Amino acid sequence: MKSWHRYTIAILGGLAVGLGAAWALTNGGLGDGAIRNGPWTTSLGYGTKATDPLTRAMVARSGLLALPARETIYWMAKTDASGAPLDGNCRYSLSGTPLDARWWSVTVYNDTGYLVDNPAGVWSVNGANVALDAKGAWRVVISPDKPADAAWLPGIKGEPFQLTLRMYNPGAAFRADPKKAALPKIVKAGC
């Protein structure tokens, strides 16, 4: 074999390994941020120049047009309160009190970071469309079947999913200590 063949094979092999590793490292969205709060994770570096290259690549891969943390904080959850992966076959209660932000939303994505394909055409809930109960709390059911008595986000049977909580213009108290903020609880009610 000629030496230029060996060099060509080595360069192509190196490119394949490098590109494959980069693809694997940036796959699956942003579920491992530096800040943890229950099942939720975030990074206050999304959308800033100061973010490390790997996080910037994950943001680009996930399609998130990230704004800086003073404008929006993006929380991701791939597990419930017990640490079990979110499963589209199961029923979950997503609940909380109004968040310290001008506006917020929770969106359901599949495990690769894309919107869940569902016949109802419902992908998210937000602070403007969830009703508060007498105690000032809200509750949403995430399940494959629509409940008769609650706000609903569809899960798709047989598909794992993840949640993204977006908090637009978070309050100063929240930004001061996001690890201790009251975020929505994700509790499995059954499968």
Side-chain angles (χ1 to χ4, degrees), residues 2-30:
K2 294 182 180 182
S3 63
W4 71 270
H5 286 134
R6 283 184 238 155
Y7 289 125
T8 302
I9 291 170
I11 289 170
L12 291 175
L15 284 172
V17 169
L19 289 173
W23 189 262
L25 280 171
T26 60
N27 194 25
L30 303 168

Side-chain angles (χ1 to χ4, degrees), residues 41-118:
T41 64
T42 192
S43 169
L44 298 181
Y46 297 151
T48 67
K49 292 179 183 178
T51 303
D52 65 275
L54 181 59
T55 301
R56 291 177 87 181
M58 286 196 279
V59 168
R61 266 296 301 280
S62 70
L64 177 66
L65 299 173
L67 296 169
R70 71 180 182 281
E71 296 179 38
T72 306
I73 296 182
Y74 306 91
W75 293 92
M76 285 64 175
K78 295 182 178 184
T79 63
D80 62 19
S82 71
L86 297 173
D87 181 349
N89 293 317
C90 300
R91 179 182 173 106
Y92 296 89
S93 173
L94 175 70
S95 62
T97 56
L99 298 170
D100 182 18
R102 181 180 52 81
W103 192 82
W104 60 267
S105 69
V106 177
T107 307
V108 177
Y109 292 96
N110 65 21
D111 64 342
T112 57
Y114 294 99
L115 289 172
V116 172
D117 186 22
N118 68 75

